[in-house]
Amino acid sequence: MVRLEGWERLRAKGGKVIEPRISGLGVYVPEKVMTNADWERLVDTSDEWIIQRTGIRERHVAAPEEVTSDLGVHAAKKAMDDARITAEEVDLLICATASPDTLLPSTACWMQPKLGLEGKPAFDLSAACSGFIYGLTVAGQFVRSGMYENVLVVGAELLTRVMDWQDRSICVLLGDGAGAAVVSPQGDRGRILGSKLHADGTYGELLWMPAGGTRMPATIETVEKRLHYYLMRGNELFKIAVKCMAEATGELLQELGMANEDIDWVIPHQANMRILQALAKRLRVSWERVVVNIQRYGNTSAASIPLAFREALDDGRIKKGDKILLVSFGGGLTWGALMIEW
Ligand code: COA
């Protein structure tokens, strides 16, 4: 059978409504685990402070020879297996990352040959911790329009290599990992009902990497001043996070004609346990309905939602027909909410 691609598919579709679904989900974390006790030996911090302020107990750290695209490839292969599709059937690869292999080319391009997708379109999407929700939304539009059938969305982060291991205000928070989804019209689960995306660049300097781009090209001085690492004003972000995520959820619920009570599961970006508790309260969702695994992974940015999602599927919490809210917040600022019917 000849597979139609791109605009050919678009023309052949002829007005039919196509519903995007998550037809496969895969995750990967590097083997090495780093505990709070390990951090106590490296910076002026304590297990007690980290647990009380963030909820984090341990995180995974990539091996020296691993790069972001490697983590993404592991997760992508599992997602393709879960969706029962071959590389041949993938039409587009999107990689959401804030810790790319290189600035040029994209991490998606580094991943592509490792996945056997040579020749297929591939690009990166930069939306920091909201990258997975942004990616699912973009993929959903390609599927809905009929242009592509199987879109592979990867959230891959190797944050322990872009953070300052001497800056205790951020290093204890972050971890490495990857998650991937196949978005396609296939199957009977994972229907994407809608999404709301937002960004506000006026807050860009609350979480950024000052040097290494055109704004501040790399010099000996920028390296000496440690400007090639993430800089975060965590306290200010904290205050905005809950408000933004709750508002995006409210807009989405209204658009879908749903109420807070209709949400069966909230799968939020795992940035801080206290943010998640405040969010649950604000959304009037009981804490048992919030999927939380920050204790074991820390903040893995674009990978955190798929990591929590896969866990709740594997342990049987999520049942067919459940309404699942994905909600995130991150550097940019970017934030968003996306609803799925499983
Ligand atoms: N260990 C011990 N003490 C630490 C520390 C650490 N790892 N990091 C910071 N501190 C200290 C600070 O220096 C400060 O000390 P001071 O009062 O003597 O100045 C004190 O702890 C309180 O710092 P503060 O930044 O006000 O703490 P906080 O309660 O806001 O918690 C974060 C800090 C980063 C955990 C929290 O603000 C947060 O999670 N923010 C949101 C992060 C986020 O959402 N990121 C973007 C989305 S991915």
Side-chain angles (χ1 to χ4, degrees):
M1 195 181 80
V2 181
R3 288 192 79 237
L4 298 179
E5 282 185 6
W7 292 101
E8 271 179 305
R9 275 184 52 79
L10 207 53
R11 278 194 291 272
K13 172 198 137 183
K16 200 171 75 194
V17 174
I18 299 174
E19 288 187 328
R21 295 169 181 274
I22 293 180
S23 57
L25 196 66
V27 295
Y28 172 79
V29 285
E31 217 173 290
K32 186 181 168 190
V33 172
M34 196 168 168
T35 64
N36 291 349
D38 294 327
W39 274 117
E40 280 178 347
R41 286 188 280 276
L42 293 171
V43 291
D44 179 15
T45 192
S46 68
D47 180 43
E48 193 192 356
W49 189 95
I50 302 172
I51 292 175
Q52 270 183 11
R53 300 288 179 125
T54 72
I56 301 165
R57 291 173 183 272
E58 55 188 40
R59 67 291 287 149
H60 290 250
V61 177
E65 66 277 9
E66 278 183 309
V67 289
T68 308
S69 57
D70 296 324
L71 312 190
V73 164
H74 286 303
K77 284 182 175 167
K78 289 187 190 169
M80 286 159 66
D81 285 348
D82 192 35
R84 295 196 176 89
I85 59 163
T86 60
E88 176 94 330
E89 293 166 282
V90 173
D91 298 303
L92 166 69
L93 170 64
I94 301 173
C95 179
T97 184
S99 47
D101 281 21
T102 52
L103 278 181
L104 179 76
S106 67
T107 302
C109 282
W110 289 119
M111 287 176 62
Q112 191 214 45
K114 299 187 220 179
L115 289 166
L117 300 176
E118 293 92 327
K120 306 280 175 93
F123 63 87
D124 278 7
L125 187 156
S126 177
C129 305
S130 306
F132 199 68
I133 289 184
Y134 266 65
L136 289 180
T137 304
V138 172
Q141 297 313 307
F142 276 117
V143 170
R144 188 179 294 277
S145 73
M147 184 161 175
Y148 294 128
E149 194 168 349
N150 295 306
V151 182
L152 193 49
V153 179
V154 180
E157 303 284 11
L158 208 163
L159 301 174
T160 62
R161 217 164 282 163
V162 290
M163 70 186 193
D164 186 347
W165 282 57
Q166 295 176 17
D167 179 359
R168 69 173 184 176
S169 71
I170 191 159
C171 64
V172 302
L173 307 175
L174 306 179
D176 302 331
V182 175
V183 179
S184 74
Q186 314 299 344
D188 60 352
R189 58 178 184 168
R191 194 156 67 101
I192 299 176
L193 302 179
S195 81
K196 278 280 164 199
L197 303 180
H198 287 286
D200 187 347
T202 56
Y203 293 102
E205 291 184 8
L206 291 190
L207 176 52
W208 68 316
M209 187 191 282
T214 57
R215 187 179 283 242
M216 204 187 286
T219 62
I220 291 172
E221 201 190 350
T222 61
V223 174
E224 279 171 357
K225 288 186 173 165
R226 310 182 77 77
L227 295 171
H228 295 269
Y229 294 121
Y230 280 7
L231 273 185
M232 183 174 78
R233 302 201 323 241
N235 203 287
E236 288 166 70
L237 278 170
F238 193 111
K239 290 175 196 147
I240 313 171
V242 179
K243 181 175 176 284
C244 289
M245 288 193 286
E247 282 177 6
T249 301
E251 290 169 24
L252 180 61
L253 288 173
Q254 192 176 9
E255 193 171 288
L256 296 174
M258 289 172 62
N260 294 50
E261 299 74 52
D262 299 328
I263 303 170
D264 294 298
W265 297 102
V266 179
I267 306 183
H269 165 53
Q270 316 276 314
N272 183 310
M273 185 80 85
R274 289 183 294 143
I275 291 179
L276 305 189
Q277 286 162 343
L279 179 69
K281 218 170 171 182
R282 181 98 177 240
L283 295 180
R284 301 190 309 278
V285 172
S286 72
W287 184 237
E288 297 71 49
R289 294 270 148 194
V290 183
V291 181
V292 182
N293 64 3
I294 190 172
Q295 309 89 317
R296 281 172 284 117
Y297 300 106
N299 178 348
T300 57
S301 187
S304 88
I305 287 181
L307 278 171
F309 201 161
R310 188 67 258 178
E311 195 166 302
L313 285 171
D314 290 344
D315 64 22
R317 264 179 287 179
I318 294 175
K319 303 272 187 296
K320 189 154 170 51
D322 280 355
K323 303 280 195 312
I324 307 163
L325 172 74
L326 310 187
V327 61
S328 71
F329 174 85
L333 300 180
T334 57
W335 66 99
L338 183 141
M339 193 71 75
I340 293 166
E341 182 181 49
W342 198 251

